[in-house]
Amino acid sequence: GDGLTGGVIAFPENLSDPHLSAWTKEPLIFHGCNGSGGPSPIWQNGDAYELIAIHNEGEARFVATDESLLQWRMVDPNFIAVRGGGGGLWHELPQNVPGISGPRWPTHIFQSNAMFGDGVSAFVMGIYDKQTERFMNVSDARLVDVGTTVRYGELSAASVGDNVGHDPRTLHVSWLTGVQPKDAKDCDTGGLLTSFRELQFDPRLPPSGALVELPIAEYELLRGSLLFNVSGEKLDREASSLVMGTAGIAMDTELEVSPIASASWACEIGVRCESRAACNRGARLTLTRSDSSEHGQTVAMSVQTPTEAQRTSFTLLAHETALGLRIMLDVTSVELFVAGGRGVFSGALNGTGLLIANCSGSDLEISGLAWEMGSIFPSKSTARGMSVAARNLWI
């Protein structure tokens, strides 16, 4: 019946605290239901605040009765017909790349413990229509692998490794877990080698759309002095590498390589290289046109650092005649985002050195800007007095 659910809502006690270390918890009370529990994250629909929770053999939808968000009234006892593994595993999925039209990625992912009949947790993706307040499944139920055998942010129905065997129901979801050695941490994040990312869905990419990943926009607020500006510099396939500048301790670089419409081309970017001719202690990003299809060009991407090597590929669409690259560096890491997040790499990389570029197969042009990258904190030892921009990024 009505009453406490076992769920609570928590509010930060001090929004000015960049660590949000103190929280006040209050119990949730449900009305009009019978034995509900396991509330989901709260979402807003117009002026209403809503959530779902386990109810009987399915999931019911509730609406907050006031702005305290403590009292909830059941409005749809049959929102989802199967019971979830706790409503907390109902999450919104990435939206389309801004400015790109086309069918969108499903809006939500939902976990259920009953879909396979064997007690194994399964996830389905579906579309939640805020106008009709209905949720419709648009995928088969799948298992979930959150192991380290797939690329950061990748969603794939293909079986990978031995984490969950070769069950075709598996949906693979991976978040970057590579960390620095415990004695090499330079902040209180456990040495995680990744920026905060935003996943977006691009419906144009074959075969039926794909996720891309980019640093959140707030990182641009940390850009400081301009380090270099390269405009229309020619990359001659017969010439030595072009030195664009010094790849320093912390910097943010955006480059564009063009034209790339020729039948054969390759481009190499060296980050923190020791000289124009050598990049053994730096990171080498190589992009090569491998083949073409009705959708455009397939680009092979490989990255080599002193400690690791990775390969992937992505599609450059037929109308795209330039290739964008973003390079983010801090004291001990490098992150590469290619073609609007279609190809991504994160890894350890120490020191400083040159930022160089060269090509083969066809002459290319390169343009770009690089900025000093400010710290979230004014010093390593304290967060007090951080800038508004940095605080917004931290929170």
Side-chain angles (χ1 to χ4, degrees):
D2 296 350
L4 300 178
T5 67
V8 298
I9 188 170
F11 302 95
E13 293 182 3
N14 181 10
L15 288 176
S16 298
D17 174 11
H19 299 287
L20 298 179
S21 54
W23 293 73
T24 298
K25 298 178 182 179
E26 298 286 348
L28 299 181
I29 299 177
F30 286 179
H31 300 276
C33 59
N34 181 18
S36 292
S40 75
I42 297 169
W43 73 87
Q44 188 172 9
N45 188 5
D47 294 331
Y49 290 92
E50 307 186 27
L51 58 74
I52 65 172
I54 298 170
H55 177 68
N56 292 335
E57 297 303 317
E59 296 283 334
R61 181 171 58 86
F62 293 78
V63 175
T65 61
D66 57 45
E67 293 184 355
S68 73
L69 304 183
L70 301 179
Q71 308 285 332
W72 295 82
R73 176 174 54 87
M74 185 169 67
V75 293
D76 184 355
N78 302 304
F79 182 70
I80 299 178
V82 294
R83 174 174 172 146
L89 293 173
W90 152 272
H91 291 287
E92 187 173 2
L93 289 170
Q95 298 185 18
N96 279 11
V97 173
I100 302 301
S101 60
R104 69 153 293 175
W105 182 252
T107 64
H108 287 74
I109 189 167
F110 171 72
Q111 184 215 336
S112 170
N113 289 338
M115 289 189 170
F116 294 141
D118 54 11
V120 177
S121 297
F123 279 72
V124 295
M125 290 179 287
I127 295 176
Y128 167 57
D129 188 329
K130 289 188 175 182
Q131 299 298 319
T132 64
E133 299 279 16
R134 294 289 183 267
F135 175 72
M136 178 180 67
N137 293 347
V138 294
S139 76
D140 295 331
R142 298 190 183 278
L143 304 175
V144 174
D145 166 24
V146 291
T148 61
T149 56
V150 283
R151 184 177 61 83
Y152 172 87
E154 180 180 0
L155 298 181
S156 170
S159 182
V160 179
D162 295 322
N163 287 32
V164 289
H166 297 284
D167 194 316
R169 303 175 298 183
T170 300
L171 174 71
H172 298 279
V173 185
S174 180
W175 309 110
L176 189 71
T177 57
V179 297
Q180 303 172 41
K182 291 183 178 180
D183 58 355
K185 291 187 291 185
D186 58 0
C187 60
D188 292 330
T189 64
L192 192 65
L193 296 175
T194 179
S195 59
F196 292 104
R197 306 283 181 84
E198 179 179 4
L199 289 175
Q200 299 172 348
F201 182 68
D202 192 334
R204 304 171 301 172
L205 299 178
S208 56
L211 289 174
V212 298
E213 50 183 311
L214 293 166
I216 59 174
E218 285 82 353
Y219 278 106
E220 296 180 16
L221 300 175
L222 300 180
R223 288 175 175 173
S225 301
L226 188 66
L227 297 175
F228 66 77
N229 181 353
V230 175
S231 179
E233 290 284 345
K234 184 177 181 181
L235 296 180
D236 189 332
R237 64 184 184 276
E238 304 295 337
S240 57
S241 297
L242 171 69
V243 177
M244 292 179 284
T246 299
I249 291 177
M251 63 186 292
D252 189 2
T253 305
E254 291 190 6
L255 302 174
E256 184 175 86
V257 179
S258 62
I260 53 176
S262 62
S264 175
W265 61 268
C267 176
E268 182 174 282
I269 305 293
V271 183
R272 288 179 173 165
C273 298
E274 54 266 36
S275 70
R276 182 193 297 265
C279 199
N280 297 316
R281 65 169 185 247
R284 298 195 305 274
L285 165 65
T286 303
L287 301 166
T288 306
R289 173 173 177 164
S290 59
D291 56 39
S292 60
S293 68
E294 59 179 319
H295 303 288
Q297 305 177 43
T298 300
V299 177
M301 171 179 165
S302 66
V303 181
Q304 178 78 49
T305 74
T307 58
E308 61 182 312
Q310 289 191 16
R311 296 178 180 273
T312 187
S313 63
F314 56 85
T315 298
L316 202 63
L317 300 175
H319 69 275
E320 295 176 319
T321 58
L323 186 64
L325 297 85
R326 185 167 178 184
I327 305 167
M328 294 178 64
L329 292 167
D330 70 7
V331 177
T332 57
S333 69
V334 58
E335 295 196 280
L336 307 171
F337 302 87
V338 184
R342 299 173 206 173
V344 177
F345 171 84
S346 296
L349 190 67
N350 298 305
T352 61
L354 299 177
L355 183 66
I356 63 175
N358 60 60
C359 71
S360 61
S362 177
D363 293 344
L364 301 174
E365 285 188 355
I366 189 166
S367 300
L369 299 167
W371 300 265
E372 287 183 325
M373 194 73 165
S375 172
I376 292 177
F377 303 112
S379 69
K380 291 185 179 180
S381 59
T382 178
R384 294 178 182 175
M386 67 168 63
S387 68
V388 173
R391 181 176 295 145
N392 288 339
L393 174 59
W394 179 253
I395 295 175

